[in-house]
């Protein structure tokens, strides 16, 4: 159906204010945002990234796309002539702004925008979407809250500090190598409003007075740390590099990291493991075990040459609860150009063979490079599994980030424990001896109801 | 949504707006629009995305990537730019007040 505006309707029961005339005061951008954007998405990477509000296959002229890219990090400050109601309201800012860095990765965010802009405000004005802060590079932020074209400029608010404005939507849709990444690009509000204050001061004498109306940045209550440390479990994620291949991993013991076989396939190979929080650390290790190609469990185990100081070791879970809130932490999308990304969703399926969980599925956004990374219970921080892959449709070639597969930690835990305590790798050999029904599951095949009977 | 979202939802609902840019003399249907944030109500200050202004830039979108350009004054856009901002009910508007007053409604016994 085409998108044609219908007659005004009041289905949400809230009469909108009539549109008010406004005047453009200035266009502004945040230099630090543009610098990080050029670093992460410019240069060689530019070919791969696409931010236009239309899908890569839609007809958008190159000029139009170039305009959109140039304007991506720009925002506009408007003055709006108040109506009688606004005259009655008290003066002054309507909200507070979270300082840059006050909201950590993994923290919940609420995006508020109007999909399709002014097309049908009765239906779409101030539509909400929830997610988390997935990644940050200076004032360039990413969230996995779903946003649509038309929400550019919409506000993104934090649960903590309560109701603080954190950012504005810069690009609702990001496409990498023609695939939707499922992350929305944001510009942090605090540096943007600082830029606005500076610009108003240089505009004309009357404009400087407007700077006092801009919402203030929140200070930290006395004695309280401003920076919320965020979920401690996220720090267990590591980037794993083996030769030219890189992926993600998770620390499961002081000298032990688990990743995927397709990240570190060769036994005895040297591997570099990087952690970014609480402090950046690089440690060499060796692959002590990697499953065979024929094993359904795509797993490799790396023994480090030194202890992991200060990196939390997550608690492996013993139970899985379909529907529970989960988080994936991995180095997909940006690799080492940025720290790990956090995306959230729910545990959408626990596939079992003979009452034993052998595969987990989630709705988190999982990208190439996230393989080997940890899947956590968002509430408890327990380690649920090791991310192995997302989904690709072999017919169309399309990739689906929000349907992905992890290996339950309960499959690995006995072998990990045995190796940590005795150095015996024997337990891991079981992973190469998985039964045929488990293989069928991981080949995404339908299990045969019963073995076909011979007709001889 | 849980209690933790109360303040964020109130802030979002109060601050959210939609901005449309059109050319003087042309039908509204040919407008560009995006979302925005109401920073102050009286006087009214709104922050929205700059993408809807590129068709109106006198020097074209190249002005946005000119070296050192951190801001552009309002008159960087042509005189035929018409802007409108629309938002939902506020505490001050009668409809908003009525909503807030809803707990006062009662169901008199017949």
């Amino acid at each position: 159906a085409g998108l044609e505006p219908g007659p005004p309707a009041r289905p949400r029961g809230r009469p909108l204010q009539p549109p008010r005339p406004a005047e453009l005061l200035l266009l502004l951008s945040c230099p630090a945002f543009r610098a990080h954007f050029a670093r992460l998405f410019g240069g060689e990477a530019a070919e791969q990234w696409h931010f236009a509000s239309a899908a890569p296959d839609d007809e958008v002229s190159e000029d139009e796309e170039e305009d959109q890219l140039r304007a991506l990090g720009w925002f506009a400050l408007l003055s709006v002539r108040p109506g009688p109601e606004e005259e009655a309201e008290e003066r002054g800012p309507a909200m507070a702004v979270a300082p840059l860095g006050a909201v950590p990765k993994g923290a919940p965010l609420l995006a508020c925008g109007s999909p399709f802009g002014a097309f049908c405000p009765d239906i779409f004005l101030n539509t909400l979407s929830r997610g988390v802060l997935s990644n940050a590079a200076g004032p360039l932020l990413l969230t996995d809250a779903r946003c649509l074209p038309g929400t550019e400029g919409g506000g993104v608010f934090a649960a903590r500090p309560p109701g603080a404005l954190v950012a504005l939507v810069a690009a609702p849709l990001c496409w990498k190598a023609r695939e939707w990444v499922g992350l929305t690009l944001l510009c942090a509000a605090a540096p943007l409003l600082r830029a606005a204050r500076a610009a108003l001061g240089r505009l004309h004498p009357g404009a400087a007075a407007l700077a006092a109306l801009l919402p203030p940045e929140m200070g930290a209550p006395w004695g309280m740390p401003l920076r919320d440390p965020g979920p401690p479990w996220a720090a267990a994620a590591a980037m794993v590099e083996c030769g030219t291949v890189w992926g993600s991993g998770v620390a499961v013991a002081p000298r032990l990291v688990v990743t995927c076989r397709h990240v570190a396939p060769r036994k005895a190979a040297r591997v570099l493991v990087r952690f970014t929080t609480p402090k950046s650390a690089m440690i060499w290790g060796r692959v002590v075990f990697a499953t065979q190609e024929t094993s359904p469990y795509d797993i490799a185990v790396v023994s480090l040459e030194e202890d992991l100081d200060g990196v939390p070791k997550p608690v492996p879970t013993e139970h899985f609860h379909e529907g529970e809130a989960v988080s994936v932490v991995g180095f997909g999308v940006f690799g080492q150009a940025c720290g790990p990304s956090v995306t959230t969703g729910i545990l959408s399926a626990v596939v079992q063979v003979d009452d034993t969980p052998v595969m987990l599925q989630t709705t988190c956004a999982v990208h190439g490079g996230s393989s080997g990374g940890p899947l956590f219970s968002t509430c408890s921080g327990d380690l649920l599994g090791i991310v192995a892959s997302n989904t690709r449709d072999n017919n169309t070639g399309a990739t689906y980030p929000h349907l992905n597969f992890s290996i339950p930690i309960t499959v690995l835990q006995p072998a990990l424990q045995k190796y940590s305590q005795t150095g015996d790798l024997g337990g891991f050999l079981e992973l190469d001896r998985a039964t045929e029904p488990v293989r069928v599951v991981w080949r995404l095949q339908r299990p045969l109801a019963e073995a076909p009977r011979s007709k001889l | 949504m849980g209690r933790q979202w109360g303040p964020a939802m109130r802030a979002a609902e109060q601050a959210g707006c939609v901005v449309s840019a059109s050319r003087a003399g042309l039908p509204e249907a040919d407008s560009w629009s995006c979302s925005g944030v109401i920073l102050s109500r009286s006087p009214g200050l709104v922050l929205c995305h700059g993408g809807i202004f590129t068709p109106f830039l006198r020097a074209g979108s190249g002005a946005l990537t000119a070296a050192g350009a951190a801001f552009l004054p309002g008159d960087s856009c042509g005189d035929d730019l018409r802007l409108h901002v629309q938002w939902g009910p506020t505490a001050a508007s009668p409809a908003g007040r009525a909503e807030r007053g809803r707990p006062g409604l009662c169901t008199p016994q017949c």
Side-chain angles (χ1 to χ4, degrees), chain A residues 37-297:
Chain A
F37 183 87
R39 179 176 66 85
L40 289 174
F41 302 107
E44 288 169 16
E47 276 302 310
Q48 286 203 296
W49 287 95
H50 173 73
F51 296 93
S53 293
D57 299 336
D58 285 359
E59 291 302 316
V60 174
S61 71
E62 274 193 30
D63 286 348
E64 208 174 334
E65 188 158 347
E66 189 173 6
D67 282 351
Q68 285 184 12
L69 195 56
R70 283 178 171 164
L72 193 142
W74 282 82
F75 294 82
L77 191 62
L78 315 181
S79 73
V80 182
R81 264 172 259 135
E85 293 96 2
E86 284 74 42
E87 292 292 331
E89 287 218 15
E90 79 280 359
R91 296 172 62 85
M95 81 193 67
V97 175
L100 185 63
V103 177
K105 275 186 214 173
L109 290 178
L110 185 74
C112 175
S114 304
F116 318 115
F119 169 67
C120 195
D122 289 289
I123 305 287
F124 296 126
L125 179 76
N126 289 351
T127 298
L128 302 175
S129 176
R130 238 178 58 187
V132 295
L133 179 61
S134 295
N135 215 327
L140 187 150
L141 311 180
L142 281 158
T143 178
D144 62 355
R146 311 283 166 84
C147 295
L148 291 170
T151 60
E152 296 89 339
V156 180
F157 299 85
R160 274 202 326 263
L165 179 68
V166 174
L168 277 80
V169 174
L173 299 174
C174 306
W175 310 78
K176 184 177 181 182
R178 307 183 70 75
E179 286 163 6
W180 179 52
V181 171
L183 297 175
T184 294
L185 198 62
L186 310 174
C187 179
L192 196 57
L193 288 167
R194 285 185 192 190
R197 264 190 204 90
L200 282 170
R202 293 166 55 193
L203 204 53
H204 51 72
L210 290 176
L213 295 177
L214 298 179
E217 280 180 43
M218 298 178 93
W222 185 256
M224 284 279 283
L226 180 62
R227 184 175 176 72
D228 173 348
W233 38 265
M239 183 172 174
V240 176
E241 295 172 67
C242 182
T244 58
V245 175
W246 58 271
S248 304
V250 59
V252 292
R255 290 199 178 212
L256 209 55
V257 165
V258 173
T259 182
C260 278
R261 177 197 58 235
H262 71 267
V263 174
R266 291 186 318 286
K267 186 167 179 182
R270 275 199 99 206
V271 172
L272 180 63
V273 179
R274 295 173 193 267
F275 290 91
T276 53
T277 48
K279 60 184 184 325
S280 136
M282 273 194 319
I283 301 174
W284 284 98
R286 273 190 195 285
V287 176
V288 293
F289 175 79
T291 53
Q292 292 172 2
E293 286 277 340
T294 54
S295 167
Y297 295 126

